[in-house]
Amino acid sequence: MQNQEDKKRSIIVCVSIIIGTLAFYYLQIFIAKKSADDILQPYIDGDVKIEAVIVTIKISPDQIPSNKLRILKNQYDIIKSKKEHHLKITRLMNAYYFASTLLLVISTIVLGVLLLKVADDGLKTKSNLFKTIFYTVLSLTTFFGVLIQVLDHKENIASNKATYIAYSSTQLKIYNYLTTDGKNDMTNSETINVDKFISSINQEITSINNITFGIEHDRVKDANDIFKNN
């Protein structure tokens, strides 16, 4: 009867720790996303102002034919949607990276404290409740450590941020072209043929275009490899 009670208590403790940890984990993700929104707001505001100019700009057909102007605006919109995609992934990965790292640090510290207690007289002498807490914390520490490696947060953040910046640069070229009588870019005072400019923008979109999201599944060891090495 006592063993049954111990098992029930151990299960309750284990489930409670896991649920509490996951709740804290998603709370940190929410906080990180909110912080990222605050940091990125000036950039978003800048994009809104640029887009307002692009949408309302009036250009003489003698300078840029109306059908070509529509193409340029379509290019801008295409880049905008791609930018939003990469910004969303950057925010998401940043939030997950922050939360995972924080939980890994906390669980590692707790595990270290538990290991100090185990070092005194071994794990066998400890109560079932202590063992449950120990193995649960050990599992969570391993989980968050592996999660950071597998999702490769840092690489995903860096690649999506770089792609976002590249698309922003291309958008600014369109903005500059439409607001400076067809100048090629911010450093070139010569005008450029609209068809040539449209083609150059298409080339840039093609070269930048990529789904920059990777999972490093090979960082998780196969069970056979683990037993082979032990």
Side-chain angles (χ1 to χ4, degrees):
M1 188 68 179
Q2 185 65 36
N3 288 337
Q4 290 294 329
E5 289 296 324
D6 285 345
K7 286 182 179 179
K8 285 183 180 179
R9 187 164 57 227
S10 296
I11 292 172
I12 292 172
V13 169
C14 178
V15 172
S16 298
I17 292 174
I18 292 173
I19 291 176
T21 300
L22 291 177
F24 183 74
Y25 178 67
Y26 283 105
L27 174 63
Q28 296 309 309
I29 289 174
F30 174 79
I31 293 173
K33 283 183 178 179
K34 183 67 173 62
S35 299
D37 288 341
D38 294 338
I39 293 171
L40 292 169
Q41 194 58 49
Y43 296 93
I44 295 173
D45 291 342
D47 284 343
V48 170
K49 291 177 181 178
I50 291 174
E51 185 178 357
V53 173
I54 297 293
V55 170
T56 59
I57 194 168
K58 304 294 183 183
I59 298 177
S60 169
D62 295 333
Q63 182 182 338
I64 299 179
S66 57
N67 64 321
K68 303 297 182 182
L69 180 60
R70 282 196 300 271
I71 292 173
L72 287 168
K73 290 185 177 183
N74 284 338
Q75 286 179 320
Y76 188 92
D77 289 338
I78 289 169
I79 295 171
K80 176 188 173 184
S81 64
K82 290 178 179 292
K83 267 183 63 176
E84 289 174 350
H85 163 76
H86 290 287
L87 182 61
K88 187 179 294 184
I89 294 180
T90 301
R91 289 173 62 251
L92 182 66
M93 287 293 104
N94 182 71
Y96 275 104
Y97 183 53
F98 170 78
S100 298
T101 303
L102 180 62
L103 265 295
L104 178 61
V105 170
I106 293 174
S107 60
T108 301
I109 292 172
V110 174
L111 183 62
V113 173
L114 294 174
L115 283 171
L116 287 176
K117 293 185 175 294
V118 171
D120 292 336
D121 47 9
L123 188 60
K124 289 183 178 180
T125 61
K126 302 299 181 183
S127 66
N128 289 333
L129 180 60
F130 181 91
K131 291 177 182 178
T132 299
I133 295 173
F134 177 82
Y135 286 123
T136 303
V137 173
L138 176 61
S139 299
L140 289 170
T141 304
T142 304
F143 170 75
F144 287 113
V146 171
L147 185 66
I148 292 172
Q149 293 295 316
V150 172
L151 291 183
D152 202 5
H153 296 100
K154 291 177 71 174
E155 178 59 30
N156 280 311
I157 291 169
S159 58
N160 279 281
K161 184 173 70 174
T163 305
Y164 173 85
I165 292 172
Y167 277 131
S168 292
S169 176
T170 304
Q171 276 187 320
L172 284 173
K173 287 182 180 179
I174 297 174
Y175 174 80
N176 185 75
Y177 186 83
L178 294 178
T179 56
T180 57
D181 299 325
K183 297 296 187 296
N184 186 12
D185 56 44
M186 280 73 80
T187 60
N188 193 337
S189 60
E190 296 182 1
T191 57
I192 182 174
N193 175 271
V194 64
D195 288 328
K196 186 176 180 181
F197 182 75
I198 289 172
S199 295
S200 70
I201 294 299
N202 283 333
Q203 288 175 358
E204 286 195 25
I205 293 174
T206 301
S207 64
I208 299 170
N209 189 45
N210 190 18
I211 300 177
T212 50
F213 180 79
I215 296 177
E216 300 293 334
H217 58 82
D218 57 335
R219 294 188 182 181
V220 181
K221 285 190 174 183
D222 185 87
N224 293 328
D225 294 334
I226 295 174
F227 289 118
K228 191 184 297 180
N229 294 331
N230 292 330

